[in-house]
Amino acid sequence: MLPGRLCWVPLLLALAVGSGDGSGDSRGDSRRRRLLAAKVNKHKPWIETSYHGVITENNDTVILDPPLVALDKDAPVPFAGEICAFKIHGQELPFEAVVLNKTSGEGRLRARSPIDCELQKEYTFIIQAYDCGAGPRETAWKKSHKAVVHIQVKDVNEFAPTFKEPAYKAIVTEGKIYDSILQVEAIDEDCSPQYSQICNYEIVTTDVPFAIDRNGNIRNTEKLSYDRQRQYEILVTAYDCGQKPAAQDTLVQVDVKPVCKPGWQDWTKRIEYQPGSGSLPLFPSIHLETCDGAVSSLQVTAELQTNYIGKGCDRETYSERSLQKLCGASSGIIDLLPSPSTATNWTSGLLVDSSEMIFKFDGRQGAKIPDGIVPKNLTDQFTITMWMKHGPSPGVRAEKETILCNSDKTEMNRHHYALYVHNCRLVFLLRKDFDQADTFRPAEFHWKLDQICDKEWHYYVINVEFPVVTLYMDGATYEPYLVTNDWPIHPSHIAMQLTVGACWQGGEVAKPRFAQFFHGSLASLTIRPGKMESQKVISCLQACKEGLDINSLESLGQGIKYHFNPSQSILVMEGDDIGNVNRALQKVSYINSRQFPTAGVRRLRVSSKVQCFGEDVCISIPDVDAYVMVLQAMEPQITLQGTDHLWRQAAQFESARGVVLFQDIKIVSTFAKPEATGDMKTTAPKSSVLEEMLHNLDFCDILVLGGDLDPRQECLELNHSELHQRHLDATNSTAGYSIYGVGSMSCYEQVLRHIYYRNWHPSSLEGRRFRIKCSELNGRYTSNEFNLEVSVLHEVRVPDKEHVNHLIVQPPFLQSAHHPESRSSIQRTSVVPSIATVVIIISVCMLVFVVAMGVYRVRIAHQHFIQETEAAKEAEMDWDDSALTITVNPMEKHVEPGHGEDETEGEEEEEEAEEDISSSSSEDNSEGEEEEEMGRGRHGQSGTRQAQLEWDDSTLPY
């Protein structure tokens, strides 16, 4: 039956093709082709059911296992037995399959775009093979079954390891070996285990006591010492399993912490203080480490040590007299150790310390106080003050060391009163005379104090209200521990000698000499007869300008107790809570109220005492040793300005008020301030600008130059009310005037402007010169030397108005000036008589006009001169004689006959120039110069005439 059925197939196909119209024929052709294709392409292509492939990232070739090959049983029939395509099923897959050989069915799988393993490591998709159908028109293709393709992406080591942290930090305790101080960790962005894993770490820094394992754990290979090195910085790198190193090393910082020792932490040894900055916190971050000790209470003592600076503190370096006045002390204080000067020359032979106000006594010097400086009788009330620095007496057998002694000048060696040191005891001796009282009464007063021999500066005040004597040392009161009585001294007429630093032996010796020398330093030794100082004044005199302070006392805890010593150089704080004590100590500050403090180091020490709960042995806190560095203050430049030449008429020198010397004196103080520059990298020196500053002065000296004043005919005077209302003092002598006392620059200006100079015989005065020099801080800063020269202004008789007019305006003058010129002009211009006539008329008119203007200006100048002279008699005027030139009026010179028209015309031009100068007008001056140049050009005799007639007008007032 099967063969018979197959025989009918062609017949049916033929019938189908032959029946129907044209369209039917087309449908029949399509059917026939399908039937024919079905008859020819009888089998589907065949491929493997699964494939495994590998592709290297950034490559396009896929290696498949097994290879991509499609088979078809219709081969070798054309088209039907060939493979035309491989199709991949999936969305947005980066692969494609191509046919390499249709006949063999061989194909290839490749990437359409670069494959990135880090984005996707593997791919899985479906693939099918298609044969070529029955003909070339891709009809009736048959497709194979679906095969699964699994592709893995092969990684490339393209990324280097990177550390998770840019830097690592650890803290270790000294003296320990750690298994792991810290762990560093690096990562790799590659996708494969081979290249993404970190296989090794390495320390790059050499010669460090550290090692690292493959997991990144760092350990120390030896015990670390805090004293040897407090911090280590090491670099670490990492390698992946492909041995690619890290792109950047990481920094590991290891801080070595000392073994816990109780003590203060987080404080700075050097603390800089800028003058004028106010209060400066000393320990803003300090705290106490107790190492878990059971502390019940804590006492802290902060001490500012300034004993080596001047007199033990940064006090004002004004003179003792000025300080006494600033503190409100009573007047009449006598300074026994003043700075050496012409008036106080008894201290010129003494040794001077770093400051001119501190005197050192080495056991071989003494100074005699001149007679009349201190009254012979001190009465029953007086005060002695001094600064003293003294150590133990040299030698085994201590002798008396005299500070102040009043003894017999000749014949005998009796001590009337004395102040001395003996065996570290301060003794004051006071012997009364028989004429005062003939009774057994107190004579020696002894004080035994450790401070007398501690080689430190202390301020001593001895208040005497006989028979009671009180000692004040650094503001504290001390009563004598021993008082010895004695009989009064027998009356005598022997003169007494007051000395400092030793006692004078005038009798009972072969040669009068000093004895009982003092070893130490003294400053500001004064005596005030007839008056005692109050406790307030004494405290002010020894007060310190620098010290310790506490910022915000209100913020201190309730459990904090604190106490300052009188000079505020020692602060004691106590509390039960360590945290409160820490916060209280953080508020301690340094303050210096001086405008110009002494630059240098101030040592600072903080000591602690700790009490623990019920323990016999408590922790020990080491002292804090720091220092405050006070920087150099801006030094002022004091400048005196004013008129340096003064001319006055003789009558003013003879008047009751005299002549005011420094009427326009000005005192200015400036300091150089660096000017900020925009470019910080420039190496050029910075420019500075001057800025004014205000401060006090303590003295101004007016010195007479060229010989002392003659008291018979001249003197310097100053109204004392000008001094008293400004709290200043002054001394006057033939050598000059000295104004002293602490006062502002404006106060000194006002006083200097009221100093008068009188001279009863000014006619003999050719000139007087004076010099001013001012000081701040007792000569630490001095001004320039301002010089003033004073001269007598002599009157000059001026010719009367008629005489001047007669000399200038006269007919012969006009005739001699123009008639010869007219005749010569007519002769020269005979060809053009009209032009010559016009020229002559114009010349005559101009000359008449010039002469008339000259006459007018001479009159005006004469009137102005008379007014100025009268005003100078009534009011005070300063004349500058630096360029004064006395000349003769050229108009008074008569015209000599025979000189002709040139001289006459030259005189007219000189008169015109003279009048132009008198008018002080720049326009007239230029006009006169034009006339003078015209005369020179016409006559050529300007050199001779100028030498005769030129005069200096640079100093005329009009």
Side-chain angles (χ1 to χ4, degrees), residues 50-54 63-68:
S50 64
Y51 294 90
H52 294 276
V54 175
I63 301 175
L64 288 178
D65 183 24
L68 183 60

Side-chain angles (χ1 to χ4, degrees), residues 808-828:
I808 298 177
V809 184
Q810 49 183 334
F813 181 86
L814 297 177
Q815 294 175 2
S816 63
H818 293 281
H819 287 204
E821 183 179 353
S822 301
R823 289 193 296 268
S824 61
S825 300
I826 293 172
Q827 294 174 0
R828 288 193 301 266

Side-chain angles (χ1 to χ4, degrees), residues 405-468:
C405 180
N406 188 25
S407 60
D408 291 331
K409 184 177 290 188
T410 58
E411 301 181 20
M412 302 178 69
N413 292 327
R414 297 175 302 174
H415 295 181
H416 297 266
Y417 62 88
L419 181 64
Y420 60 91
V421 176
H422 190 209
N423 290 325
C424 292
R425 291 168 174 81
L426 185 65
V427 182
F428 177 67
L429 171 67
L430 179 63
R431 300 288 300 277
K432 291 291 185 178
D433 295 337
F434 263 105
D435 56 357
Q436 295 177 335
D438 191 6
T439 58
F440 201 60
R441 52 175 36 192
E444 287 188 358
F445 303 85
H446 299 251
W447 292 272
K448 185 178 180 180
L449 302 172
D450 296 335
Q451 291 87 340
I452 295 174
C453 289
D454 64 355
K455 297 183 180 181
E456 304 291 347
W457 281 103
H458 298 284
Y459 186 63
Y460 299 86
V461 178
I462 298 174
N463 262 353
V464 178
E465 189 175 16
F466 197 80
V468 178

Side-chain angles (χ1 to χ4, degrees), residues 572-796:
V572 180
M573 294 190 301
E574 186 175 355
D576 299 334
D577 185 83
I578 301 299
N580 288 339
V581 175
N582 288 337
R583 287 186 289 272
L585 189 56
Q586 291 170 5
K587 299 180 183 300
V588 176
S589 61
Y590 168 81
I591 190 169
N592 195 321
S593 59
R594 283 190 58 185
Q595 190 175 14
F596 307 108
T598 303
V601 173
R602 275 74 164 165
R603 296 188 181 92
L604 186 63
R605 171 166 294 178
V606 178
S607 56
S608 310
K609 292 182 180 179
V610 178
Q611 292 184 357
C612 299
F613 289 100
E615 297 183 9
D616 296 333
V617 179
C618 198
I619 60 177
S620 177
I621 307 297
D623 293 342
V624 171
D625 289 320
Y627 64 92
V628 178
M629 173 58 72
V630 178
L631 304 179
Q632 183 68 44
M634 295 289 186
E635 295 193 1
Q637 181 68 37
I638 307 172
T639 305
L640 303 179
Q641 303 171 349
T643 303
D644 56 359
H645 286 79
L646 189 64
W647 289 78
R648 289 291 182 269
Q649 295 183 352
Q652 294 186 4
F653 289 96
E654 298 174 354
S655 64
R657 295 186 60 185
V659 174
V660 179
L661 293 181
F662 312 104
Q663 187 174 6
D664 61 348
I665 192 71
K666 182 68 175 177
I667 305 176
V668 179
S669 182
T670 58
F671 68 95
K673 181 179 180 181
E675 187 176 8
T677 58
D679 187 6
M680 301 299 293
K681 299 180 181 179
T682 179
T683 58
K686 293 183 179 179
S687 59
S688 59
V689 294
L690 294 180
E691 291 191 5
E692 287 195 26
M693 66 186 309
L694 298 178
H695 57 81
N696 293 329
L697 299 177
D698 53 6
F699 72 80
C700 282
D701 288 338
I702 300 99
L703 302 178
V704 181
L705 304 180
D708 292 350
L709 298 175
D710 186 355
R712 296 172 296 179
Q713 69 173 18
E714 57 183 345
C715 68
L716 290 174
E717 292 183 353
L718 177 63
N719 191 347
H720 288 283
S721 63
E722 299 290 340
L723 293 171
H724 294 160
Q725 66 183 358
R726 294 175 177 84
H727 306 287
L728 299 177
D729 293 322
T731 57
N732 191 4
S733 67
T734 58
Y737 220 106
S738 180
I739 305 169
Y740 56 88
V742 180
S744 65
M745 293 185 292
S746 61
C747 287
Y748 271 87
E749 281 182 2
Q750 297 301 322
V751 172
L752 290 175
R753 292 173 182 175
H754 287 82
I755 292 181
Y756 297 88
Y757 170 67
R758 296 183 58 196
N759 194 309
W760 297 276
H761 303 287
S763 58
S764 61
L765 178 65
E766 295 183 358
R768 261 296 179 195
R769 292 188 299 126
F770 302 93
R771 175 177 295 169
I772 304 180
K773 190 173 184 179
C774 297
S775 158
E776 163 68 330
L777 297 180
N778 201 47
R780 179 177 173 185
Y781 304 111
T782 57
S783 70
N784 61 316
E785 294 181 349
F786 175 76
N787 296 322
L788 172 67
E789 185 172 351
V790 180
S791 301
V792 178
L793 178 64
H794 299 282
E795 295 186 3
V796 180

Side-chain angles (χ1 to χ4, degrees), residues 233-347:
E233 291 184 349
I234 58 177
L235 294 176
V236 176
T237 189
Y239 294 91
D240 60 16
C241 294
Q243 293 304 306
K244 190 167 189 174
Q248 185 175 1
D249 301 335
T250 187
L251 175 65
V252 178
Q253 179 178 314
V254 179
D255 293 333
V256 181
K257 183 178 68 174
V259 176
C260 186
K261 297 177 183 178
W264 294 100
Q265 305 293 329
D266 294 339
W267 54 274
T268 305
K269 186 176 184 65
R270 175 189 171 99
I271 306 156
E272 290 188 354
Y273 180 79
Q274 182 66 44
S277 59
S279 180
L280 174 68
L282 295 174
F283 310 108
S285 303
I286 196 170
H287 63 277
L288 182 63
E289 176 63 61
T290 60
C291 296
D292 299 328
V295 177
S296 60
S297 65
L298 175 64
Q299 184 186 69
V300 180
T301 302
E303 181 179 2
L304 184 68
Q305 301 173 357
T306 60
N307 299 329
Y308 50 90
I309 299 176
K311 293 178 290 187
C313 173
D314 197 10
R315 296 177 172 85
E316 295 285 2
T317 53
Y318 291 128
S319 64
E320 186 64 23
R321 186 189 298 270
S322 298
L323 288 176
Q324 296 275 0
K325 180 156 291 189
L326 285 175
C327 290
S330 54
S331 59
I333 296 173
I334 302 170
D335 192 357
L336 301 181
L337 285 177
S339 298
S341 64
T342 56
T344 58
N345 57 359
W346 66 85
T347 59

